[in-house]
Amino acid sequence: MCIQTLRRCGALSALALLCGACQEESDPDWQLVEAYVTLDTAWHAKDIEVGRSAASAEEKEARREAEVGPHPDITLAVTAARAIVGVEGHPRTLDAAEFLVDHPYGLSKTASEDIELGIDTLVDGLGPDWAVVQAYLDDNNAWQEAQNEIGASDDSDEEKRRPWDELGNPPVVARALGAATAILRADGHERLTDAAIFLLGREVAVGRGTLPRMVEATARLLDAAPEHDEWPKRLYYLQWPRTRGDDEREAIDAMLADVVERAVDPVARATARYYAAAGLMRDSNAWSLSDEDRRGFRERALALATGLSEGVEDEEIVERLGALDEEGQPRNATLAEAQEHLLYRINHTTVGATVPDVVGTRLDGTEEALSAYAGKVVLVDFWATWCGPCIAVLPKLRELHDSLAADQFTLLAVSVDEELESVTDLMQDEPMPWANWHVGTQGEIVDRWHVRAFPTYVLLDRDGTILARTTGWSDELAKLVRKAATGEPRSA
């Protein structure tokens, strides 16, 4: 059944049709879950097909609208899965719990509750069984090795797609999460340290709804092995699930503070201070903060960052931060370098800070200082030709540029493309009639301003003070630009 047919039927009818196409099942609730997974799989396959096509960005957008449409509604499937786990002894309990952990994130209004219900159900159903975790690790390692083998081949990207498609998605981590969590909660389990390390590893950090597990694992690992010698690596992953939500932010801050206080290794304590300060710095850029709250975040970040490397200056942190070895290759920074880099970012690249003068290279090869635009409101746009959202927003940027007075406002596009020709070729079809710098992949401004996502926008007032810093375009940013350029009060 094609996805267009399913879309025409609507979500409820599509699920009903899919259920009818399934083999007879004794449980209609499980049929609804399976039906959603089938529809979801078809949706993603079509979306990938459109994304891989040679069409322009505009054509792809039109095809997604006509052929793919909005993501299938997960509500019925979530309700059905929750009903299943509520029935004692149901044969599909673990399957439904796995679904609740793996699918609702970002799609269900009750995603956090769904995930917690799924984890708790898996904890009860699987128990503290390390074999479940090991089976996932073995499957995931095999999957990763196969993916690496495909990537290292001499085949073209087109030729690589088929084996990648056949390889499918990575193994689902849900059951391993449940079993590892059960081990944490079991008194004196012999694999407690292993389970905690697993829950603080990369495979879990990039997963969904994992923050509560990471908080719990940190506390238990500090109890069991405060001298654990890989804390710096674990701390690197702890920052990944950080969000803007107050509860999540406070949980991670408390978790890192626990490491600062209880870890034996001074490098671990210094690393925890670094990531805690970096998180507070990022939080200080949030749109919704009052000036007082913003200052509070920055002051706390400065207090943590100042002196964090004392006594361990030459030890490494799991961050590159533009550091290069003797052969010019990227390397992890020392804690002293990380401290200096972080203090610069807090003082000069967050909302409310004033940026120092920096120099970039225009497309004609001449150097230009940011101070050349003093007296104007400046929207700095870090972008690349390979960044789809960067290209998609160009019509809106042209509209903004053309509607504001040139003596009051300017756009400054900073390209991180490796080759200048990529930029100039694009401009033949996509005019960018504003100031343009090409700094490449190792540009100093990109490193010093710690730009890691594209597009990143930094809005400066006429004195060079940062009014906003955000990734991705929004109507809110556009309104703020117009208010700053026209002199309208921000609160108006």
Short mmCIF file of all heavy atoms in Angstrom, two decimals, residues 43-64:
data_model
loop_
_atom_site.label_atom_id
_atom_site.label_comp_id
_atom_site.label_asym_id
_atom_site.label_seq_id
_atom_site.Cartn_x
_atom_site.Cartn_y
_atom_site.Cartn_z
N TRP A 43 6.63 6.39 5.64
CA TRP A 43 6.80 7.84 5.61
C TRP A 43 8.28 8.21 5.52
O TRP A 43 8.69 9.04 4.71
CB TRP A 43 6.18 8.46 6.86
CG TRP A 43 6.17 9.97 6.85
CD1 TRP A 43 5.19 10.79 6.39
CD2 TRP A 43 7.21 10.82 7.36
NE1 TRP A 43 5.55 12.10 6.56
CE2 TRP A 43 6.80 12.15 7.15
CE3 TRP A 43 8.46 10.58 7.95
CZ2 TRP A 43 7.57 13.24 7.52
CZ3 TRP A 43 9.24 11.67 8.31
CH2 TRP A 43 8.79 12.98 8.10
N HIS A 44 9.09 7.59 6.38
CA HIS A 44 10.52 7.89 6.37
C HIS A 44 11.19 7.46 5.07
O HIS A 44 12.08 8.15 4.56
CB HIS A 44 11.20 7.22 7.57
CG HIS A 44 10.99 7.95 8.86
ND1 HIS A 44 11.59 9.14 9.16
CD2 HIS A 44 10.20 7.66 9.93
CE1 HIS A 44 11.21 9.56 10.35
NE2 HIS A 44 10.36 8.68 10.84
N ALA A 45 10.79 6.31 4.53
CA ALA A 45 11.37 5.84 3.27
C ALA A 45 11.10 6.84 2.15
O ALA A 45 11.99 7.15 1.35
CB ALA A 45 10.80 4.47 2.91
N LYS A 46 9.88 7.37 2.10
CA LYS A 46 9.55 8.33 1.06
C LYS A 46 10.29 9.64 1.27
O LYS A 46 10.77 10.26 0.31
CB LYS A 46 8.03 8.58 1.04
CG LYS A 46 7.56 9.40 -0.16
CD LYS A 46 7.81 8.65 -1.45
CE LYS A 46 7.33 9.42 -2.67
NZ LYS A 46 7.58 8.70 -3.92
N ASP A 47 10.40 10.07 2.51
CA ASP A 47 11.11 11.30 2.81
C ASP A 47 12.58 11.20 2.41
O ASP A 47 13.16 12.14 1.85
CB ASP A 47 10.99 11.60 4.31
CG ASP A 47 11.56 12.97 4.68
OD1 ASP A 47 11.05 13.98 4.15
OD2 ASP A 47 12.51 13.02 5.48
N ILE A 48 13.19 10.05 2.67
CA ILE A 48 14.59 9.83 2.28
C ILE A 48 14.71 9.82 0.77
O ILE A 48 15.65 10.39 0.19
CB ILE A 48 15.12 8.51 2.88
CG1 ILE A 48 15.25 8.65 4.41
CG2 ILE A 48 16.46 8.12 2.26
CD1 ILE A 48 15.55 7.36 5.11
N GLU A 49 13.77 9.19 0.09
CA GLU A 49 13.79 9.14 -1.37
C GLU A 49 13.78 10.56 -1.96
O GLU A 49 14.55 10.87 -2.87
CB GLU A 49 12.59 8.36 -1.89
CG GLU A 49 12.48 8.32 -3.41
CD GLU A 49 11.16 7.75 -3.87
OE1 GLU A 49 10.64 6.82 -3.21
OE2 GLU A 49 10.62 8.24 -4.89
N VAL A 50 12.91 11.40 -1.42
CA VAL A 50 12.84 12.78 -1.91
C VAL A 50 14.13 13.52 -1.60
O VAL A 50 14.67 14.24 -2.44
CB VAL A 50 11.63 13.51 -1.29
CG1 VAL A 50 11.65 14.99 -1.63
CG2 VAL A 50 10.33 12.88 -1.76
N GLY A 51 14.64 13.34 -0.39
CA GLY A 51 15.86 14.03 0.00
C GLY A 51 17.06 13.65 -0.84
O GLY A 51 17.95 14.48 -1.06
N ARG A 52 17.10 12.42 -1.33
CA ARG A 52 18.23 11.96 -2.13
C ARG A 52 18.11 12.36 -3.61
O ARG A 52 19.07 12.21 -4.36
CB ARG A 52 18.33 10.44 -2.05
CG ARG A 52 18.86 9.93 -0.73
CD ARG A 52 18.85 8.42 -0.73
NE ARG A 52 19.48 7.85 0.45
CZ ARG A 52 19.52 6.56 0.73
NH1 ARG A 52 18.95 5.69 -0.12
NH2 ARG A 52 20.10 6.12 1.82
N SER A 53 16.98 12.83 -4.01
CA SER A 53 16.78 13.15 -5.42
C SER A 53 17.65 14.32 -5.83
O SER A 53 18.16 15.08 -5.00
CB SER A 53 15.30 13.48 -5.68
OG SER A 53 14.96 14.72 -5.09
N ALA A 54 17.82 14.47 -7.14
CA ALA A 54 18.66 15.54 -7.68
C ALA A 54 17.90 16.85 -7.83
O ALA A 54 18.42 17.82 -8.39
CB ALA A 54 19.23 15.12 -9.03
N ALA A 55 16.70 16.92 -7.31
CA ALA A 55 15.87 18.12 -7.45
C ALA A 55 16.44 19.27 -6.63
O ALA A 55 17.25 19.08 -5.72
CB ALA A 55 14.45 17.81 -6.99
N SER A 56 16.01 20.48 -6.97
CA SER A 56 16.42 21.66 -6.21
C SER A 56 15.73 21.65 -4.85
O SER A 56 14.80 20.87 -4.61
CB SER A 56 16.03 22.93 -6.96
OG SER A 56 14.61 23.05 -7.03
N ALA A 57 16.19 22.54 -3.96
CA ALA A 57 15.60 22.61 -2.63
C ALA A 57 14.11 22.94 -2.72
O ALA A 57 13.29 22.37 -1.99
CB ALA A 57 16.32 23.68 -1.80
N GLU A 58 13.74 23.83 -3.64
CA GLU A 58 12.33 24.20 -3.80
C GLU A 58 11.50 23.01 -4.32
O GLU A 58 10.38 22.77 -3.85
CB GLU A 58 12.18 25.38 -4.76
CG GLU A 58 12.73 26.69 -4.24
CD GLU A 58 14.25 26.81 -4.36
OE1 GLU A 58 14.87 25.86 -4.91
OE2 GLU A 58 14.79 27.81 -3.89
N GLU A 59 12.07 22.27 -5.26
CA GLU A 59 11.37 21.10 -5.81
C GLU A 59 11.20 20.02 -4.74
O GLU A 59 10.15 19.37 -4.67
CB GLU A 59 12.13 20.56 -7.02
CG GLU A 59 12.08 21.48 -8.24
CD GLU A 59 13.03 21.03 -9.34
OE1 GLU A 59 14.04 20.37 -9.02
OE2 GLU A 59 12.75 21.35 -10.51
N LYS A 60 12.23 19.83 -3.93
CA LYS A 60 12.12 18.84 -2.87
C LYS A 60 11.03 19.24 -1.88
O LYS A 60 10.27 18.39 -1.41
CB LYS A 60 13.46 18.69 -2.15
CG LYS A 60 14.53 17.98 -2.96
CD LYS A 60 15.82 17.88 -2.16
CE LYS A 60 16.90 17.19 -2.99
NZ LYS A 60 18.18 17.10 -2.25
N GLU A 61 10.97 20.51 -1.56
CA GLU A 61 9.95 20.99 -0.62
C GLU A 61 8.55 20.74 -1.18
O GLU A 61 7.65 20.31 -0.46
CB GLU A 61 10.16 22.48 -0.34
CG GLU A 61 9.30 23.03 0.77
CD GLU A 61 9.64 22.44 2.12
OE1 GLU A 61 10.80 22.02 2.32
OE2 GLU A 61 8.74 22.38 2.99
N ALA A 62 8.39 21.00 -2.49
CA ALA A 62 7.09 20.78 -3.12
C ALA A 62 6.73 19.29 -3.13
O ALA A 62 5.57 18.91 -2.90
CB ALA A 62 7.10 21.33 -4.55
N ARG A 63 7.72 18.44 -3.39
CA ARG A 63 7.46 17.01 -3.40
C ARG A 63 7.12 16.50 -2.00
O ARG A 63 6.25 15.64 -1.85
CB ARG A 63 8.69 16.25 -3.94
CG ARG A 63 8.86 16.29 -5.44
CD ARG A 63 9.91 15.27 -5.89
NE ARG A 63 9.51 13.91 -5.57
CZ ARG A 63 10.32 12.85 -5.68
NH1 ARG A 63 11.59 13.03 -6.08
NH2 ARG A 63 9.89 11.64 -5.37
N ARG A 64 7.81 17.03 -1.01
CA ARG A 64 7.48 16.61 0.36
C ARG A 64 6.05 16.99 0.71
O ARG A 64 5.35 16.24 1.38
CB ARG A 64 8.46 17.24 1.35
CG ARG A 64 9.84 16.58 1.35
CD ARG A 64 10.67 17.02 2.54
NE ARG A 64 11.88 16.21 2.65
CZ ARG A 64 13.07 16.55 2.20
NH1 ARG A 64 13.21 17.72 1.58
NH2 ARG A 64 14.11 15.75 2.33
#
